[in-house]
Amino acid sequence: MNAARDSGGSRESRVLHELIDAHGETFAEEAGITLKDTPQPLYRLLVLSVLLSARIRGSVAVAAARELYDAGLRDARGMAGSDWQDRVDALGRGGYRRYDERTATQLGDGAELVAERWGGDLRRLRREADGDVSTLRELLQEVPGLGPAGADIFLREVQHVWPEVAPYLDAKTLSGAERLGLPKDPGRLVELAGDTEPDTLAAALVRAALDKKVAESVT
């Protein structure tokens, strides 16, 4: 019985580490965001989370986030003060055309909220939550265009710099674990991942959840 359990654990560890090695890039990293606990990277992650939460390919959302950055829309005040058409055009250059007009409006409204309520600094949102992740998730959903899925995206990534959030393995990450035949228990997954950062673990599992080929490549 112990041998069988050890064998299963070895298989699970091997699969998970192969997944992390091949697909452990976070979505922030893919979008060129060097995540730090400072206003601009946190705001860029918020924008990326809004873009990723739409029913659109992740690669398109990442490309659109890069275009917004290249257009100079890098912080809440810059986004709030930008022209709506400039936001539409940047999204379009990233291939984000199906939702470009609605998302351009949401980004403008969301930027105004972040600028006015939290002074353009999402660390103030963090302080408002006072270490409670459920409150943090609720506050994030006050941002236009950021529903439960978008809040989860933000929290999966921000746990790299907000340690009170970690380990954040939501339903999407656990569905990736299930597809791989791995345990759906967050504590067990963290144990199997060893020294892997929780944001990297979460990103790898999400990529398995989103793309069957990713899962097949390691199983």
Side-chain angles (χ1 to χ4, degrees):
M1 185 173 180
N2 288 339
R5 187 159 53 239
D6 289 344
S7 176
S10 298
R11 180 261 172 196
E12 290 168 350
S13 179
R14 175 188 61 78
V15 167
L16 186 55
H17 282 279
E18 284 187 11
L19 175 73
I20 291 166
D21 289 343
H23 304 286
E25 182 182 36
T26 68
F27 290 91
E29 288 170 340
E30 187 181 350
I33 302 169
T34 301
L35 199 55
K36 299 177 182 178
D37 190 26
T38 54
Q40 189 181 110
L42 292 172
Y43 179 71
R44 290 181 64 197
L45 176 60
L46 186 75
V47 169
L48 178 63
S49 300
V50 170
L51 298 176
L52 283 167
S53 62
R55 293 182 180 275
I56 200 161
R57 291 197 313 277
S59 59
V60 172
V62 165
R66 285 180 173 273
E67 288 292 342
L68 289 165
Y69 178 81
D70 289 343
L73 308 180
R74 303 172 182 181
D75 56 38
R77 288 191 171 86
M79 186 74 78
S82 66
D83 184 78
W84 177 83
Q85 189 61 52
D86 288 342
R87 298 195 295 272
V88 171
D89 291 344
L91 291 169
R93 289 193 298 273
Y96 205 91
R97 294 186 179 87
R98 184 177 175 188
Y99 303 101
D100 54 354
E101 295 187 356
R102 183 184 72 181
T103 302
T105 299
Q106 290 173 335
L107 289 175
D109 292 343
E112 289 180 6
L113 172 69
V114 172
E116 292 171 6
R117 180 165 177 179
W118 297 299
D121 187 348
L122 291 172
R123 293 175 298 182
R124 296 186 183 181
L125 178 150
R126 180 190 185 187
R127 287 196 291 271
E128 187 174 332
D130 195 26
D132 185 79
V133 178
S134 295
T135 301
L136 188 56
R137 190 171 185 267
E138 290 174 4
L139 288 171
L140 286 166
Q141 290 178 65
E142 294 184 24
V143 177
L146 204 70
D152 285 338
I153 292 167
F154 183 89
L155 292 171
R156 288 197 303 260
E157 301 269 328
V158 84
Q159 64 182 321
H160 181 68
V161 292
W162 290 0
E164 74 274 16
V165 175
Y168 196 84
L169 301 178
D170 63 327
K172 180 64 76 174
T173 62
L174 298 182
S175 69
E178 183 177 31
R179 172 172 273 180
L180 292 160
L182 297 175
K184 292 182 67 179
D185 175 65
R188 178 61 177 150
L189 289 168
V190 170
E191 181 183 347
L192 287 169
D195 294 334
T196 302
E197 292 289 337
D199 59 318
T200 301
L201 170 62
L205 289 171
V206 166
R207 292 183 189 279
L210 295 174
D211 189 343
K212 188 177 181 180
K213 292 180 180 178
V214 167
E216 290 174 345
S217 72
V218 296
T219 56

